[in-house]
Amino acid sequence: MLQYAVKRFLSLCATLIASSLVIFAVVEVIPGDPASFMLGLNAAPDTVAALREELGLSGSLHTRYLDWIGGMLVGDFGTSYTYRVPVAELVAARVSVSLPLALYALILSTAIAFPIGIVAASRRGGLVDVGIMGSTQLGIAVPNFWFAMLLVLFFAVGLRWFSAGGFAGWDQGLLAGLKSLTLPAFALAVTQASILARIMRSALIDTLEQDFIRTARAKGLTRRQAMARHALRNAMIPVLTIVGLQFSFLLAGAIIIENVFFLPGLGRLVFQGITQRDLVVVESVVMLLVFAVIVVNFMVDITYALVDPRLRIRS
């Protein structure tokens, strides 16, 4: 197990290094000069040069890359060109929205997907199975931003149960904060629940056809008992991987939903950084999101090995 964990950790480190190079290179090749963008078209060249020096844009690419990485390793993400505050402060304020939103959406998607996936597998080929699979196909096909707008029209504009956008803030209480995140979390959860339900159904069907399930049935267990005692645990192995990937997506991929609901999260911060040519914010936040995704996948791999001993033996 230790050898398996070490290999996965070394892979994590290599992926982080490669990701940082790609992020830095992509951001640096974006057309336009941030200093010129901030000062306007009529700015004097010496003023632009002075601002480039202040922002640390006058050094060579490899020097700027090493300074950026070295700063991130000690918790210094630089200072935002636009807001004139440390990026770490911006991230700390925004992650208090994005992280609960991702967790909320993951809980909703899991709570929806597991029961309907199990029901679909137990009723394989029946009308219930066909109906569930048709509904999940629709959930995958419908864009989440379009579904988000439908939720706003129905629950915010029509019934007025929720606000159409914005975030109440955790200082207003836990219930007020969760209420602000309910519609965006549900909009994010629908697609992920549809995918997870189909994976759950397929994994259960494959497991129920294995020899050890037939042996359990031959010993007198009913289909429901065999599923509860043996099939579910083994079917969870691929499902765990999907759940980990979904959390990564929900944390890093909620840019559109955060903009639809005007949530002050990391996704909206990245969007604002791109439009304002705030390279420090874009590089640092994207790198943090990539780091979160890779760490979550690392944890999923370790959990996967704990559930499936065959991986530890192979390593």
Side-chain angles (χ1 to χ4, degrees):
M1 180 62 189
L2 179 60
Q3 184 179 2
Y4 177 83
V6 169
K7 287 182 179 179
R8 286 291 178 265
F9 179 76
L10 293 176
S11 175
L12 179 150
C13 295
T15 305
L16 282 176
I17 294 172
S19 300
S20 67
L21 289 170
V22 172
I23 292 169
F24 184 81
V26 169
V27 172
E28 291 297 327
V29 300
I30 295 176
D33 180 30
S36 300
F37 180 84
M38 294 170 66
L39 294 173
L41 297 175
N42 298 322
D46 56 341
T47 306
V48 175
L51 182 58
R52 285 183 57 84
E53 183 70 28
E54 179 185 349
L55 298 177
L57 298 174
S58 58
S60 61
L61 285 177
H62 72 274
T63 301
R64 288 160 57 190
Y65 171 77
L66 292 176
D67 290 342
W68 173 56
I69 291 298
M72 292 197 72
L73 290 176
V74 297
D76 180 11
F77 303 145
T79 302
S80 168
Y81 306 159
T82 305
Y83 301 99
R84 294 295 181 175
V85 297
V87 177
E89 292 184 11
L90 293 174
V91 171
R94 303 299 183 99
V95 78
S96 64
V97 176
S98 293
L99 183 58
L101 175 61
L103 289 172
Y104 195 179
L106 185 66
I107 291 171
L108 286 176
S109 66
T110 304
I112 295 170
F114 276 33
I116 65 176
I118 293 171
V119 170
S122 61
R123 306 290 179 84
R124 179 185 181 186
L127 290 177
V128 174
D129 182 27
V130 173
I132 290 176
M133 288 300 99
S135 300
T136 56
Q137 187 62 50
L138 182 63
I140 295 172
V142 174
N144 56 13
F145 66 87
W146 184 80
F147 188 69
M149 290 186 285
L150 290 182
L151 291 175
V152 170
L153 287 174
F154 188 75
F155 290 103
V157 178
L159 298 176
R160 298 190 178 183
W161 290 355
F162 301 93
S163 62
F167 182 64
W170 297 114
D171 55 340
Q172 300 297 317
L174 180 62
L175 291 179
L178 291 177
K179 187 176 180 181
S180 300
L181 297 178
T182 296
L183 291 185
F186 199 79
L188 285 170
V190 168
T191 300
Q192 304 308 315
S194 300
I195 296 172
L196 189 59
R198 297 177 74 90
I199 298 296
M200 188 72 188
R201 173 187 178 273
S202 299
L204 267 177
I205 289 175
D206 289 342
T207 305
L208 288 171
E209 294 176 349
Q210 298 297 316
D211 291 339
F212 69 92
I213 297 295
R214 284 193 285 268
T215 302
R217 293 292 305 279
K219 290 182 177 180
L221 293 182
T222 65
R223 183 178 178 86
R224 179 175 297 180
Q225 290 173 332
M227 179 180 292
R229 297 182 186 180
H230 302 288
L232 276 176
R233 179 178 178 181
N234 287 275
M236 288 298 294
I237 294 174
V239 174
L240 281 174
T241 303
I242 301 301
V243 169
L245 294 174
Q246 285 189 342
F247 177 73
S248 302
F249 170 80
L250 292 169
L251 182 61
I255 296 177
I256 296 177
I257 294 298
E258 288 184 0
N259 279 278
V260 169
F261 289 95
F262 301 100
L263 294 175
L266 291 175
R268 187 167 174 80
L269 180 62
V270 171
F271 179 79
Q272 292 170 338
I274 293 173
T275 57
Q276 296 165 351
R277 292 286 297 162
D278 202 338
L279 300 186
V280 174
V281 171
V282 176
E283 288 176 344
S284 299
V285 175
V286 172
M287 189 64 212
L288 285 173
L289 291 174
V290 169
F291 174 76
V293 170
I294 294 174
V295 169
V296 169
N297 289 338
F298 172 75
M299 295 173 63
V300 169
D301 286 340
I302 299 301
T303 306
Y304 201 115
L306 292 174
V307 175
D308 189 353
R310 292 173 296 181
L311 290 177
R312 302 196 296 269
I313 296 174
R314 292 172 187 169
S315 64

